[in-house]
Amino acid sequence: MTFEPPVLLALDLAGTFAFGLNGALTAVRAARLDVVGVVALGMITALGGGIIRDVLIGAVPPATLRDWRFFTLAAAGGLIAFALSRRLHRLETPILVLDAIGLSVFAVIGASKALAFGLGTGPAILLGMITGVGGGTIRDTLVRRIPSVLHSDLYAIPALVGAAITVAAVRVGIYGVPAALAAAAVCFLIRMLGVRYDLNAPRPPGASGDRGSPGDDT
Amino acid sequence: MTFEPPVLLALDLAGTFAFGLNGALTAVRAARLDVVGVVALGMITALGGGIIRDVLIGAVPPATLRDWRFFTLAAAGGLIAFALSRRLHRLETPILVLDAIGLSVFAVIGASKALAFGLGTGPAILLGMITGVGGGTIRDTLVRRIPSVLHSDLYAIPALVGAAITVAAVRVGIYGVPAALAAAAVCFLIRMLGVRYDLNAPRPPGASGDRGSPGDDT
Amino acid sequence: MTFEPPVLLALDLAGTFAFGLNGALTAVRAARLDVVGVVALGMITALGGGIIRDVLIGAVPPATLRDWRFFTLAAAGGLIAFALSRRLHRLETPILVLDAIGLSVFAVIGASKALAFGLGTGPAILLGMITGVGGGTIRDTLVRRIPSVLHSDLYAIPALVGAAITVAAVRVGIYGVPAALAAAAVCFLIRMLGVRYDLNAPRPPGASGDRGSPGDDT
């Protein structure tokens, strides 16, 4: 595993915990699961995106399975969500903010890691986005929902922007902790604006709302 | 990436574009998605099968992420489908033909690549088929449909036949551009006959039509 | 592929056949599929968990694609299930027992292989469990059911216990055929007790049964 500056590592760990917590909470609400299911889906949400990225770039075993801190924080998030699922509803806003931090840091770190393993500009941006949204996509598929990233909210687009800024910074030779934090901050801001003003990515022309997907209550 | 003869490369690129276009169109019809979802599902359809194959044979990063032409054509197909989804209905036949070309070329190239990486006869045929049908399977799962390849049409079987002819040609030492084109042509013909005469693979004995899967309208 | 003692190999092969048979039977009941779909889902159930494990630890091509016996037994199980799906209902108990043997052996072998590839304690236990339950999870997702392992039965927990005993035995230096069989036996017993007394893993506090998932009739 390459060296990660402390500030990025701290945000990466915080994001992993938030994804585990939030992923497990979403799973609890979407389907009737037992403790194994809730914790498993929390861990999949937290670790899944990075695992897909690491498998695709050939960095196996994936970093999150080799570093016990990520593994443990993801499991802890899932267990806390299982135990406190009813009370955590009150904490929706801080969880949403933590989740956006996770999305931002995952997109930036994912894109820079893909570049370090020799991928081109387009694939590196894509893998940055996948690092951010991949885990939640697997979780939604497992609980039989159309992944929310495919149809609602500004979730993938901020990750794409953060990853693109990261790749641009590497290409012009100014990537470092400040550039990484700036790229993550842009992603975070777009995501928060999307939440605040309920923004959505454009729909196909002529797509009226008449083919709603039952069960998508995110 | 190994050298690919120009005629196979051209068909491979055409098939990638067709899969991106057709995959995104299918996604538009199956679920209410935004631009990210439509383009993502087009790209998954076009690139997913080859990515699964490359991950399983250890050829990472996958060829389609390293060669910008595949990546770009898959994205272009998805974007065109997003922009023109309503008008493309009229082009159903040419899209179906292009899609069958993609299926045929993917099965042949997938099987020969699996052999080149040391897999045995059975697994190489299987990986040829997966190269052809894997992307559409992931797409259908993400939009919450039972993958059409599992229950309808002659889609997997032509791919299996094309992959099997490819493996046989390699084993007897006559594999080259003519043999590859012949294998792809057989796959293409079976697929087109299946479309024309609405052929289906056999169902389990005693399976009456009374357990239809709602929402499968492919 | 590392050397596998004959008794473990025999159980591994028996489990692969049982998973192929049982996986295909479950698929037949859950959705209207053709022969390609039934056999494919049987093979995915039998080989999927080991393939996920091998991809994650970097052991590609996966062992089950390199050893023709696993490949063939998985396909044979699926084909028999396709041909005899109506008559196999009478054999539910022996199939359930064979399936529990498969789960136990897969969890033990999966955990010990993950350790051999350098993973830590937690990830090795997790990969042992995934080897046991991963194939069925993919199958359930493809036929659009919430994976039964996430919400019902004692299925993941016996696999976790078997994998944990395996890892503990390796860590204290007493792993060998007797320890492997003992770990598998504990997993098998917990699974059988769960089936006999209809035990379930705990649900989230306050989760009443009012959000049942339609279609989950396992």
Side-chain angles (χ1 to χ4, degrees):
Chain A
M1 198 179 173
T2 53
F3 171 74
E4 215 174 356
V7 59
L8 287 183
L9 177 64
L11 289 172
D12 202 1
L13 291 168
T16 300
F17 177 75
F19 268 42
L21 190 68
N22 201 14
L25 278 181
T26 309
V28 166
R29 287 174 208 166
R32 207 170 40 153
L33 306 166
D34 60 25
V35 59
V36 173
V38 172
V39 176
L41 289 171
M43 293 183 74
I44 285 169
T45 309
L47 309 178
I51 288 176
I52 296 174
R53 176 203 60 212
D54 285 350
V55 165
L56 290 181
I57 62 179
V60 287
T64 49
L65 291 184
R66 279 182 295 163
D67 186 328
W68 65 271
R69 293 171 298 185
F70 291 96
F71 188 82
T72 307
L73 280 169
L79 276 170
I80 290 172
F82 176 78
L84 306 178
S85 58
R86 296 230 283 192
R87 274 181 255 165
L88 289 171
H89 288 265
R90 282 181 239 152
L91 297 174
E92 212 157 293
T93 306
I95 291 173
L96 210 64
V97 171
L98 270 177
D99 188 79
I101 292 175
L103 178 72
S104 310
V105 181
F106 286 10
V108 170
I109 292 176
S112 75
K113 188 167 182 182
L115 282 179
F117 275 75
L119 270 85
T121 296
I125 295 173
L126 190 71
L127 283 177
M129 186 191 78
I130 289 173
T131 308
V133 310
T137 302
I138 304 177
R139 177 206 59 212
D140 284 349
T141 304
L142 288 174
V143 296
R144 220 171 40 180
R145 304 192 328 167
I146 295 186
S148 58
V149 69
L150 295 176
H151 62 84
S152 64
D153 292 353
L154 282 184
Y155 201 80
I157 287 180
L160 270 179
V161 172
I165 295 175
T166 304
V167 170
V170 172
R171 292 286 186 230
V172 300
I174 59 166
Y175 186 72
V177 172
L181 290 178
V186 172
C187 171
F188 179 80
L189 272 177
I190 301 176
R191 171 71 186 134
M192 283 288 112
L193 286 173
V195 170
R196 177 71 185 77
Y197 297 104
D198 201 18
L199 303 176
N200 287 291
R203 293 266 159 80
S208 57
D210 59 350
R211 299 199 58 182
S213 309
D216 295 331
D217 50 357
T218 320
Chain B
M1 197 179 177
T2 54
F3 172 74
E4 217 175 356
V7 59
L8 287 184
L9 177 63
L11 290 172
D12 202 1
L13 291 168
T16 300
F17 177 74
F19 268 43
L21 191 68
N22 201 12
L25 278 181
T26 310
V28 166
R29 286 174 208 165
R32 208 169 40 152
L33 305 166
D34 60 27
V35 60
V36 173
V38 173
V39 176
L41 289 170
M43 293 183 74
I44 285 169
T45 309
L47 309 177
I51 287 177
I52 296 175
R53 176 204 60 213
D54 285 350
V55 166
L56 290 181
I57 63 179
V60 286
T64 49
L65 292 185
R66 277 181 297 163
D67 187 328
W68 65 271
R69 294 171 298 186
F70 291 97
F71 187 83
T72 307
L73 280 169
L79 275 171
I80 291 172
F82 176 78
L84 307 177
S85 59
R86 296 228 284 193
R87 277 182 253 165
L88 288 172
H89 287 267
R90 283 181 238 152
L91 297 173
E92 212 157 293
T93 306
I95 290 173
L96 210 63
V97 171
L98 269 176
D99 188 80
I101 292 176
L103 179 72
S104 311
V105 181
F106 286 10
V108 170
I109 292 176
S112 75
K113 186 167 184 183
L115 283 179
F117 275 76
L119 270 85
T121 297
I125 295 173
L126 190 70
L127 283 176
M129 186 190 78
I130 289 174
T131 307
V133 309
T137 302
I138 303 177
R139 176 207 58 212
D140 284 349
T141 304
L142 288 174
V143 296
R144 219 172 40 178
R145 305 193 328 167
I146 296 185
S148 57
V149 69
L150 295 176
H151 62 85
S152 65
D153 293 353
L154 282 185
Y155 201 81
I157 287 180
L160 270 179
V161 172
I165 295 174
T166 304
V167 171
V170 172
R171 292 285 186 231
V172 301
I174 59 165
Y175 186 73
V177 172
L181 289 178
V186 172
C187 171
F188 179 80
L189 273 177
I190 302 177
R191 170 72 187 134
M192 284 286 111
L193 286 173
V195 169
R196 176 74 185 75
Y197 297 104
D198 200 18
L199 302 175
N200 287 291
R203 292 268 159 79
S208 57
D210 58 349
R211 300 198 57 181
S213 308
D216 296 329
D217 51 355
T218 320
Chain C
M1 199 179 172
T2 53
F3 172 74
E4 216 176 355
V7 58
L8 287 184
L9 177 62
L11 290 172
D12 202 0
L13 291 168
T16 300
F17 177 74
F19 268 43
L21 191 67
N22 201 14
L25 278 181
T26 309
V28 166
R29 285 174 209 166
R32 207 169 40 153
L33 306 166
D34 60 26
V35 59
V36 172
V38 173
V39 176
L41 288 170
M43 294 183 74
I44 285 169
T45 309
L47 309 178
I51 287 176
I52 296 176
R53 176 203 60 212
D54 285 350
V55 165
L56 290 182
I57 62 179
V60 286
T64 49
L65 291 184
R66 278 182 296 164
D67 185 328
W68 64 271
R69 293 171 298 186
F70 290 97
F71 188 82
T72 308
L73 280 168
L79 276 170
I80 291 173
F82 176 78
L84 306 177
S85 59
R86 296 229 284 192
R87 274 181 254 165
L88 288 172
H89 288 266
R90 282 182 238 152
L91 297 174
E92 210 158 295
T93 306
I95 290 173
L96 210 63
V97 171
L98 270 176
D99 187 81
I101 291 175
L103 178 72
S104 311
V105 180
F106 286 11
V108 170
I109 292 176
S112 75
K113 187 167 183 182
L115 282 179
F117 275 75
L119 270 84
T121 297
I125 295 174
L126 190 71
L127 283 177
M129 187 191 78
I130 289 173
T131 308
V133 310
T137 302
I138 303 176
R139 176 206 59 213
D140 284 349
T141 304
L142 288 174
V143 295
R144 220 170 40 177
R145 304 192 328 166
I146 295 184
S148 58
V149 69
L150 294 177
H151 62 84
S152 65
D153 292 354
L154 282 184
Y155 201 81
I157 286 179
L160 269 180
V161 173
I165 295 174
T166 304
V167 171
V170 172
R171 292 285 187 231
V172 300
I174 59 166
Y175 186 72
V177 172
L181 290 177
V186 172
C187 171
F188 179 79
L189 273 177
I190 301 176
R191 170 72 185 132
M192 283 287 113
L193 286 172
V195 170
R196 176 74 185 75
Y197 296 104
D198 200 18
L199 303 176
N200 286 292
R203 293 266 159 80
S208 57
D210 58 350
R211 300 199 56 182
S213 310
D216 296 328
D217 52 356
T218 321

